[in-house]
Amino acid sequence: MSRHELKLGRRLNDKKSVPIFRNVVYSIDSSLESTTRTRLINLLESNGAVSADNENTFNLYVSLEKSLDQPNVHSVTPLWIETAIINGFVHETQYYSPSKPNQFLSGVVLFILDISQADVQRLTEEIRERGGQVRNDLTEDITHLICINPRGAEYQHCIDHCIPVVLPQWLDDCLRFGEKIDITSYRFPTPTVYNPTSPATIHPYPNQDHLKDATDCTVLANQVIYFGTDIHVKDNFKSRLIQCIKRAGGTVSTDYDTPVTIVILKHRSTEEGIQAFKDNKTIASLWWLTNTLARGYVLSPLSTLLDYPAPQGGIPGMDCLHISITGYRDVPRDFLRRLIIHTGAVFNPLMDQQTTHLICGSKKSDKYKEALNKGMTIVNHIWLEECYQQWKILDCDHKRYRYIPEKSNVLNQTVGRTHLLHDKVKLWMNPQTVPDYSRSKHVYEIINVDEKGSIDIVNPRKAAVKAIRVLSNIVMPDMNAYEKEVKSSNWLSHKKQKT
């Protein structure tokens, strides 16, 4: 039983306690659903409140959308009632105003450690604007402890009393995205979104050549792995992969059964994925598996975007975007290219007249200067990653997306650091809550093209078209770049000989 359930049980069953709503005369907005109204009436009256005899005798008005401008009447959302019962005392009503829909932190009372006093003061104002509260000490009404280092008396007290202890990233993400985010991935003692000693590094997309990066260790000890029916790999690659799994201490099962601990899938929200989620199996992508073998340690599949199975289609509206990349190299570039494909946008390596967005890692890039002159939308990779994380097209004008450094390796090193949000992923595992997605009309152009330009033909009639696009979009740009490099090299060599 949770801390909240324990407190609620104590509050409702303790006959000697003074009713927390003993001075409350309430009125409830008639537009609320009847089931909600009934539940609120039971909570109020079982804790000492009484219903108003007429419209002019109440001092508490409960609504989801409107506040009453009447003297001595406090307008609150239903959350004010629920939080008061959970904590055993009433909170200030100003943090639960129905007329302020952006108060998504209502009911959150924070004690913050490991952050400078100046930053705490700056955060406090923004937290209060969003309905939350900040305490200077570990008071009775604390709902969350925020810290970086899991140590000290305050930390141990909260752990012992089941008060959530979370990383500052949780608060940062809540304020950034304007919603109260599930704490699961941020919560101590085992947060999954941040691990300074074992970062979520990304390795080349899995194929037989890249399995040589797999380390000989027991990283998969006692793990039983099942490959979902939507995983299709060549026999020689799978054979090599199974050998690596066994060397790492794991085993592979051909059947989905109780001993299976890890389910490898291509797509989320499939029947197998939903069942695995219900059974509390670890759900991961093929890339997570090879990343784990290469890293030599296990991280949550939510720790980086493509370690978790992808949706079966793109973000609605994203298929209208044509995206190019510059200033990113090697594995980070490939990661971003595949991420573009998964969002449903068109990956355009040439940056032609159709290009709408440039994912840019350096101002020294020729593409950056060209895009600037043409008035294209220029953003860094964080915009793309957070579009995928939030599963919607985000506003490009945010300053965190517009930062483009002078040096090309600054942003290259941070690719893949965005994590998936637990409550967002959970939506995909219920047929009633699966987010909208659309199969991109452009997907045939790029979905089966790898970094070497090879293609898998699905529709024979499109084979010639696809081959031409691969030639023009991947092979020729690489050849042109190579010829340019050779000419430059020959020119430098000739110049040295002359001097």
Side-chain angles (χ1 to χ4, degrees), residues 1-7 87 140 142-143 161-163:
M1 183 176 290
S2 70
R3 167 178 169 261
H4 286 182
E5 291 171 328
L6 285 169
K7 281 198 171 186
N87 289 331
E140 185 184 23
I142 292 296
T143 62
H161 291 81
C162 298
I163 299 172

Side-chain angles (χ1 to χ4, degrees), residues 66-82:
K66 62 180 181 179
S67 298
L68 297 183
D69 187 15
Q70 295 182 16
N72 301 320
V73 174
H74 299 278
S75 297
V76 297
T77 62
L79 183 61
W80 180 85
I81 299 169
E82 296 161 357

Side-chain angles (χ1 to χ4, degrees), residues 247-382:
R247 285 206 312 269
T251 57
V252 175
S253 174
T254 56
D255 298 311
Y256 178 90
D257 51 21
T258 303
V260 167
T261 58
I262 301 173
V263 177
I264 304 299
L265 298 169
K266 181 178 181 179
H267 294 125
R268 61 183 80 164
S269 71
T270 61
E271 288 186 10
E272 286 182 315
I274 292 172
Q275 187 60 52
F277 187 81
K278 290 179 180 177
D279 295 339
N280 292 318
K281 311 286 190 185
T282 296
I283 302 171
S285 68
L286 190 63
W287 206 342
W288 173 87
L289 181 58
T290 55
N291 274 334
T292 300
L293 291 168
R295 291 168 185 156
Y297 49 83
V298 175
L299 291 175
S300 166
L302 301 180
S303 61
T304 189
L305 299 178
L306 297 184
D307 272 7
Y308 198 83
Q312 298 184 62
I315 299 170
M318 203 81 174
D319 58 349
C320 297
L321 307 186
H322 290 240
I323 302 177
S324 295
I325 303 173
T326 187
Y328 297 90
R329 303 183 305 278
D330 305 325
V331 176
R333 180 181 175 84
D334 185 49
F335 179 90
L336 295 176
R337 183 176 65 83
R338 293 177 187 276
L339 197 59
I340 290 170
I341 294 170
H342 285 306
T343 64
V346 180
F347 172 61
N348 190 341
L350 293 179
M351 203 182 84
D352 56 21
Q353 68 275 10
Q354 290 184 300
T355 303
T356 59
H357 291 66
L358 176 65
I359 307 294
C360 185
S362 171
K363 289 182 178 179
K364 292 186 176 181
S365 164
D366 291 338
K367 283 185 179 179
Y368 171 78
K369 298 171 185 175
E370 182 183 349
L372 203 61
N373 292 332
K374 292 182 177 180
M376 291 181 187
T377 300
I378 304 173
V379 289
N380 58 41
H381 69 277
I382 300 174

Side-chain angles (χ1 to χ4, degrees), residues 32-56:
L32 290 177
E33 294 182 359
S34 59
T35 54
T36 301
R37 287 173 54 83
T38 301
R39 181 175 61 85
L40 293 174
I41 290 170
N42 289 336
L43 290 175
L44 286 163
E45 295 190 356
S46 63
N47 286 274
V50 295
S51 178
D53 294 331
N54 57 65
E55 294 185 357
N56 298 317

Side-chain angles (χ1 to χ4, degrees), residues 318 321 323 356-359 376-380 382-384 387 392-404:
M318 203 81 174
L321 307 186
I323 302 177
T356 59
H357 291 66
L358 176 65
I359 307 294
M376 291 181 187
T377 300
I378 304 173
V379 289
N380 58 41
I382 300 174
W383 172 80
L384 178 66
C387 283
K392 61 183 178 182
I393 302 174
L394 298 174
D395 185 357
C396 296
D397 289 333
H398 196 291
K399 62 181 180 180
R400 62 186 276 104
Y401 304 143
R402 289 292 193 175
Y403 169 68
I404 311 295

